[in-house]
DNA sequence: CTGTATCCGAAAAGATACTG
DNA sequence: CAGTATCTTTTCGGATACAG
């Protein structure tokens, strides 16, 4: 902890090169859920129980196919969701949260609570700060 | 929520341009604590109760002055820490967590718990995934 | 339908030098 | 001591085209 050089999350595959990582567990989690789309994907798959690619694409306005794929792959790699491919024509792929991801989602909801409790404080603080410039 | 186009955190000042933001509270929080150094700074200031600039610089190996400054400014702007400047020579600046930040830190510690509980699962999943490539 | 492959611009972070 | 200013590098994400 407090080791410095904590890598931030990325949607691109992670080589794990950054030698001084993997030390603070908290940054580890944050790496997993950071990235512009991870939370949205996690939340939607969780809400649907089981989700298909195009369904996610439609459910998350603004996401590109590339980013959806990248985000899904990273979450799968980290064991947060499973990917099941049916070799039919047309193909069908199903995504589901793992139990670990469901527990994570629960913990994250506590963070959401914090955000709701303090959102006016944060907003006011920003206005103050920006005005004082 | 699930609105798409959630901006990710940045250490650079945030203009708030990204029109479709500020909708999912969770992404709001994540924006605040993302950035490579935010958690480290938050944690160290919290541990010291009151911290000075150089103290933080020494306590967070690898951080540059620029990034320390940017990170501190963003946290201050969001009302997560206070900055008190004493116009002495040499100058002295003190940083403290706000109450909101202490509550945030507590919630984040629950995330850390998740990370510790699942870190072997995640690690194994990654090895599996990478092997299968 | 479920992806890949490329290329490109934007944004985050690092290096280095300078200052009240 | 506590920052700024500038420049460069690295990483992330968007756009577009193509494919099994």
């Amino acid at each position: 902890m407090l080791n410095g050089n904590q890598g931030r999350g990325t949607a691109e595959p992670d080589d794990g090169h950054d030698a001084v990582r993997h030390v603070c567990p908290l940054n580890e989690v944050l790496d997993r859920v950071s990235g512009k789309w991870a939370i949205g994907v996690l939340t939607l798959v969780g809400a649907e129980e089981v989700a298909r690619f195009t369904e996610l694409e439609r459910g998350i306005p603004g996401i590109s196919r590339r980013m959806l794929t990248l985000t899904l792959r990273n979450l799968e790699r980290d064991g947060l969701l499973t990917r099941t491919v049916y070799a039919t024509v047309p193909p069908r792929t199903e995504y589901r949260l793992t139990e670990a991801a469901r527990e994570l989602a629960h913990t994250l909801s506590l963070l959401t609570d914090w955000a709701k409790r303090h959102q006016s404080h944060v907003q006011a603080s920003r206005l103050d700060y920006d005005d004082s410039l």
Side-chain angles (χ1 to χ4, degrees), chain A:
Chain A
M1 195 103 71
L2 289 182
N3 51 326
N5 204 346
Q6 306 96 348
R8 289 267 52 75
T10 165
E12 311 278 352
D14 175 3
D15 295 349
H17 265 184
D18 207 341
V20 210
R21 266 213 252 179
H22 313 300
V23 191
C24 173
L26 180 49
N27 275 309
E28 283 269 288
V29 198
L30 260 17
D31 282 353
R32 256 162 229 117
V33 295
S34 62
K36 192 168 176 178
W37 307 104
I39 292 294
V41 170
L42 228 35
T43 307
L44 188 49
V45 175
E48 304 288 314
E49 192 65 31
V50 49
R52 296 182 55 180
F53 190 88
T54 306
E55 188 180 346
L56 293 171
E57 198 176 8
R58 282 191 306 257
I60 304 172
I63 197 171
S64 65
R65 269 180 193 175
R66 173 179 136 79
M67 289 315 293
L68 179 54
T69 302
L70 247 22
T71 304
L72 287 167
R73 291 292 185 280
N74 282 150
L75 293 172
E76 183 194 1
R77 183 169 111 101
D78 286 340
L80 294 179
L81 53 79
T82 60
R83 174 168 171 265
T84 316
V85 181
Y86 298 95
T88 58
V89 264
R92 149 190 290 252
T93 307
E94 293 181 345
Y95 294 93
R96 292 163 218 269
L97 292 194
T98 62
E99 178 54 24
R102 273 188 283 273
E103 290 181 34
L104 177 59
H106 173 256
T107 307
L108 288 174
S109 76
L110 300 175
L111 261 192
T112 304
D113 294 343
W114 179 92
K116 286 178 177 165
R117 283 202 308 278
H118 296 280
Q119 96 189 48
S120 63
H121 166 256
V122 171
Q123 191 182 356
S125 177
R126 286 201 180 195
L127 291 175
D128 278 10
Y129 187 92
D130 293 347
D131 275 359
S132 73
L133 293 184

